């Protein structure tokens, strides 16, 4: 027989296996997944500071434009200062998204997608457009959407923006609260549970009320077509803001 059987003795006399050969690939994959999850959790926790303010602003819509805009202008001083915007918003968001995409690729074909992960995927798909529409005009043209800008979008294209804002608020709230609960469990933090069905249903109902307020269905609002956001859209994209598009 020309075949050579590898015995423990022969192995001990041979070359020493490298680290990558000694450690099973599955263990390397598990270690990578753990590191990605920790990085994603930390980045998501930091970003949740900004997201909490962002959602709170949206939920203030039923109290009127003055309250909504006043709150937004006061917190804007904080989260749009260069240092805070980079450390609390931009960098944590990028890290969270990159880790999320990486985990999706690593876990491809392993089990079904959870609601938490599906909410995250939805947010990843819309985040670039959302940032461009909201932050772009303020950076380039010093025009902030505020209450009147949101009212314009709901008036101009209601078939798209009513469901879009609702899904954006619900996905953001659900992904954030469930993610923070997982951070609480992972790091054994003495914090209360944030995710519950009753709270989620309450937020869903309040989101509908907030959209009705922004759409001028709870109280009169100023003419959406005359807002600075509408006029900028007409100037940049040639929108006919004299009437709703759809």
């Amino acid at each position: 027989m020309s075949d050579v059987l590898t015995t423990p003795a022969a192995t001990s006399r041979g070359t020493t296996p490298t680290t990558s050969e000694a450690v099973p690939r599955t263990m390397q994959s598990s270690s990578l997944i753990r590191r990605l999850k920790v990085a994603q959790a930390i980045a998501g926790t930091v970003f949740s500071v900004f997201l909490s303010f962002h959602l709170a602003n949206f939920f203030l819509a039923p109290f009127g434009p003055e309250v909504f805009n006043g709150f937004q202008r006061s917190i804007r001083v904080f989260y749009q200062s260069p240092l805070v915007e980079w450390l609390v918003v931009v960098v944590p968001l990028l890290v969270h998204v990159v880790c999320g995409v990486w985990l999706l690729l690593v876990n491809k074909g392993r089990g079904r997608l959870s609601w938490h992960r599906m909410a995250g995927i939805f947010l990843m798909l819309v985040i670039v457009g959302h940032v461009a529409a909201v932050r772009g005009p303020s950076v380039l043209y010093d025009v902030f959407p505020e209450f009147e800008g949101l009212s314009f979008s709901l008036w101009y294209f209601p078939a798209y923006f009513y469901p879009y804002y609702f899904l954006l608020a619900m996905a953001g709230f659900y992904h954030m609260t469930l993610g923070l609960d997982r951070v609480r469990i992972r790091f054994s933090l003495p914090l209360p549970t944030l995710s519950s069905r009753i709270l989620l249903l309450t937020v869903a109902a309040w989101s509908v009320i907030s959209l009705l307020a922004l759409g001028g269905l709870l109280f009169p609002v100023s003419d959406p077509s005359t807002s600075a956001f509408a006029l900028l859209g007409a100037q940049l994209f040639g929108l006919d803001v004299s009437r709703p598009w759809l």
Side-chain angles (χ1 to χ4, degrees):
M1 298 282 293
S2 60
D3 294 340
V4 177
L5 297 178
T6 303
T7 64
T11 302
S12 64
R13 290 192 299 268
T15 58
T16 303
T18 62
T19 303
S20 61
E21 292 171 342
V23 180
R25 186 171 297 179
T26 54
M27 292 181 63
Q28 293 181 14
S29 177
S30 298
S31 177
L32 173 63
I33 290 173
R34 283 196 299 271
R35 290 197 296 269
L36 287 173
K37 285 184 175 180
V38 170
Q40 188 183 39
I42 294 173
T45 301
V46 175
F47 183 76
S48 69
V49 175
F50 162 75
L51 184 55
S52 298
F53 283 122
H54 205 48
L55 288 170
N57 196 184
F58 173 66
F59 296 143
L60 286 175
F63 299 99
E66 294 79 10
V67 173
F68 184 97
N69 292 341
F71 180 79
Q72 186 179 118
R73 291 165 187 169
S74 63
I75 63 173
R76 214 159 53 205
V77 175
F78 165 69
Y79 70 74
Q80 287 186 0
S81 61
L83 183 62
V84 174
E85 187 166 27
W86 278 99
L87 295 182
V88 179
V89 183
V90 178
V91 173
L93 177 60
L94 289 176
V95 171
H96 194 73
V97 169
V98 169
C99 289
V101 173
W102 202 336
L103 284 168
L104 283 175
L105 295 175
V106 171
N107 293 317
K108 187 177 180 181
R110 300 180 186 178
R112 62 177 186 174
L113 291 176
S114 63
W115 283 105
H116 180 254
R117 186 165 293 177
M118 285 191 286
I121 292 173
F122 169 77
L123 293 169
M124 282 194 295
L125 292 175
V126 302
I127 189 64
V128 174
H130 183 72
V131 171
V134 175
R135 192 70 178 104
S138 61
V139 171
L140 299 176
Y141 304 101
D142 199 31
V143 172
F144 298 89
E146 298 192 332
F147 189 99
E148 294 75 15
L150 294 176
S151 293
F152 166 73
S153 62
L154 291 170
W155 170 81
Y156 188 71
F157 199 171
Y160 175 80
F161 280 106
Y162 273 103
Y164 167 75
Y165 286 138
F166 178 79
L167 291 174
L168 191 63
M170 294 305 301
F173 180 82
Y174 179 75
H175 192 75
M176 178 183 69
T177 53
L178 190 59
L180 289 175
D181 272 345
R182 291 181 175 181
V183 169
R184 174 181 59 83
I185 295 170
R186 177 181 291 272
F187 297 102
S188 302
L189 300 176
L191 298 173
T193 301
L194 294 174
S195 58
S196 70
R197 183 170 298 179
I198 294 177
L199 181 59
L200 192 64
L201 291 174
T202 302
V203 169
W206 195 257
S207 296
V208 172
I209 295 172
S210 298
L211 286 172
L212 294 177
L214 288 164
L217 301 175
L218 294 185
F219 45 76
V221 297
S222 58
D223 185 358
S225 64
T226 62
S227 70
F229 199 68
L231 297 177
L232 181 63
Q235 176 186 343
L236 295 178
F237 307 109
L239 302 180
D240 179 8
V241 297
S242 62
R243 57 186 178 85
W245 184 67
L246 185 64

